[in-house]
Amino acid sequence: MSHATQGKVSASAVRPMASGRVFNFSAGPATMPLEVLEQLQADLLDLRGGGAGILEISHRGELFEKILQESEDAFRKVGNISQDYAVLFLPAGATQQFGMLPLNFLADGASADYPDTGVWTSKAIADGKEVGKINEIWKGADFGYRRTPRAGELKTTPGSTYLHYCSNNTVWGTRWVAPPQPAAGAWLARDASSDIYAEPLDLKGCAFLYASGQKNLGPSGMTMVVIRRDLLKAPVRKLPSMLRYDEHAKAESRLNTPATFGMHAVGVMCQWILRQGGLVEMQSRAKTRSDLVLAAIRNSNGFWKANAESECQSFVNVLFHAANPKLEPLFLKEAANAGLAALAGHKVTGGMRASMYNAMPVEGAKALADVMLDFAQRNG
Ligand SMILES: Cc1ncc(COP(=O)(O)O)c(C=O)c1O
């Protein structure tokens, strides 16, 4: 089986638990809270007693206006986002932002700084280079992508327009301990696709943040963009309207017929986060879950090895390998039999990856840690 196939929740390979659901460690689309799924299920058939479901009502109608406002309000409330920033719900995933960001802001003759911390930043760099001058100011490949830059290691470029970084590297399971400092006069752009709302949001010094939905926020195909209002002006070059942030902001994320279901789902997910106790609680759960899995690695007498260096270990993506990689397919099979799904690592890393976003119960991490230690004991 290829790694790509192993990563999927396959109905035949994974034995669900008595609840009928599995602990789903997929990196995204990822597990969602049952409560949220049930709310969305009901809203598909009948939204607020209007006799029509969320997929059926006009994006310009009064009811959807209210739904979208509620989603934005809940999203702002969770992250404590002030009106200094616009919040946009945009299509085409986080990948679309790799191109839109430089298209809007990187003028001819100017440059932007991009530390490369693995796969997603490499893609952002490649797309950025299609538009203008990208300074690759740090190369994670030199460190096997096992860590992010240390304090003082980054050399920014004087006169650069912005610095783009990815705060949590989903594929390699590393995170930045503190945000990078852009060059004087430059602003910070953050890809927060996998760590948004898994911890309190700090927008200090950050002018532009984007995150795809399918990890901590719900549906795929939907990207949240948080953009400081002073950046909402005509782009540095002529662009079609769908590629312009200022146009999306003017049209309140409805330049075209948007992904209405996704916009609603993000709101329902944010309301769930608020009911759970907000981001302090989300952070505490994320730490508990990752600590459980990391303790299993530490206590395995070298049977399991973590990928990331410990100071920049991600709280939401834990990558690990078996010291004897030949045992990994058997482990994945046994884990699937125990109802632990989608643990195969990304195709570029191999090994295992436990993605544990907001909706992963702490019991899921506990079950994984138990299975890891039991497997190590029997096969070590
Ligand atoms: C950190 C990061 N950035 C960007 C992306 C790309 O997101 P999308 O597939 O929604 O375009 C991903 C997807 O997993 C990601 O993890």
Side-chain angles (χ1 to χ4, degrees):
M1 200 192 300
S2 73
H3 282 299
T5 337
Q6 283 174 0
K8 289 176 184 144
V9 181
S10 140
S12 57
V14 179
R15 184 179 303 160
M17 292 166 297
S19 64
R21 289 182 52 84
V22 294
F23 286 126
N24 171 13
F25 292 89
S26 168
T31 193
M32 287 179 64
L34 195 53
E35 211 175 304
V36 170
L37 293 174
E38 284 170 348
Q39 170 76 59
L40 293 173
Q41 185 183 37
D43 292 346
L44 275 177
L45 296 180
D46 183 5
L47 186 65
R48 312 266 163 99
I54 177 68
L55 290 176
E56 303 167 289
I57 61 168
S58 166
H59 61 296
R60 308 244 175 249
E62 206 177 303
L63 182 53
F64 189 74
E65 284 272 348
K66 189 162 156 19
I67 291 287
L68 183 54
Q69 191 60 53
E70 284 175 10
S71 287
E72 181 179 332
D73 290 349
F75 182 82
R76 281 186 184 277
K77 190 163 178 194
V78 173
N80 196 18
I81 299 171
S82 78
Q83 290 296 337
D84 293 345
Y85 292 82
V87 168
L88 308 176
F89 294 68
L90 299 190
T95 302
Q96 173 85 336
Q97 303 308 313
F98 297 166
M100 263 177 86
L101 178 69
L103 278 170
N104 278 264
F105 300 114
L106 189 55
D108 289 344
S111 77
D113 283 349
Y114 280 62
D116 180 19
T117 48
V119 178
W120 297 112
T121 49
S122 311
K123 288 182 192 243
I125 289 168
D127 277 0
K129 283 183 176 170
E130 297 291 337
V131 179
K133 184 161 188 310
I134 301 296
N135 312 307
E136 239 174 288
I137 56 170
W138 194 80
K139 291 187 194 321
D142 296 347
F143 309 95
Y145 295 114
R146 295 189 62 232
R147 68 174 180 87
T148 50
R150 298 194 175 122
E153 214 173 42
L154 221 51
K155 300 272 172 289
T156 55
T157 311
S160 50
T161 304
Y162 63 85
L163 187 159
H164 171 280
Y165 81 114
C166 176
S167 46
N168 183 82
N169 300 290
T170 326
V171 171
W172 292 98
T174 61
R175 71 184 176 95
W176 286 72
V177 179
Q181 194 65 42
W187 44 269
L188 196 59
R190 168 180 171 191
D191 175 357
S193 289
S194 44
D195 59 349
I196 188 168
Y197 292 177
E199 60 184 25
L201 181 66
D202 185 1
L203 281 174
K204 241 190 302 49
C206 182
F208 184 95
L209 175 147
Y210 64 99
S212 51
Q214 66 267 23
K215 300 164 197 296
N216 285 300
L217 292 177
S220 58
M222 162 70 43
T223 311
M224 309 305 302
V225 169
V226 179
I227 177 169
R228 218 173 52 202
R229 289 194 194 273
D230 59 287
L231 292 179
L232 289 174
K233 50 189 185 216
V236 294
R237 57 178 57 74
K238 279 183 168 231
L239 291 175
S241 58
M242 281 298 278
L243 295 177
R244 292 177 58 152
Y245 295 110
D246 59 334
E247 294 290 344
H248 280 291
K250 258 188 251 155
E252 297 176 333
S253 304
R254 282 169 295 169
L255 260 180
N256 69 332
T257 313
T260 49
F261 180 80
M263 290 164 148
H264 177 47
V266 168
V268 176
M269 188 65 200
C270 286
Q271 281 151 6
W272 177 85
I273 293 173
L274 291 169
R275 285 198 301 281
Q276 302 303 300
L279 296 186
V280 171
E281 175 64 19
M282 292 300 111
Q283 181 178 43
S284 151
R285 290 184 195 178
K287 283 198 169 146
T288 305
R289 289 186 299 252
S290 55
D291 280 350
L292 281 163
V293 178
L294 291 167
I297 296 171
R298 269 196 317 277
N299 296 334
S300 71
N301 288 324
F303 186 92
W304 298 117
K305 309 244 178 250
N307 175 70
E309 291 189 8
S310 58
E311 76 278 7
C312 47
Q313 169 65 56
S314 161
F315 298 128
V316 285
N317 307 106
V318 180
L319 261 74
F320 57 99
H321 292 261
N324 174 2
K326 288 202 183 109
L327 289 170
E328 290 176 353
L330 180 63
F331 172 74
L332 288 169
K333 198 164 157 217
E334 289 194 14
N337 275 332
L340 309 179
L343 279 165
H346 189 276
K347 60 181 184 290
V348 306
T349 64
M352 270 70 61
R353 171 173 53 172
S355 294
M356 300 176 287
Y357 304 119
N358 286 343
M360 170 60 69
V362 167
E363 294 73 43
K366 173 93 182 55
L368 172 58
D370 289 348
V371 167
M372 286 168 70
L373 282 174
D374 175 60
F375 187 84
Q377 228 158 37
R378 286 185 287 108
N379 296 283

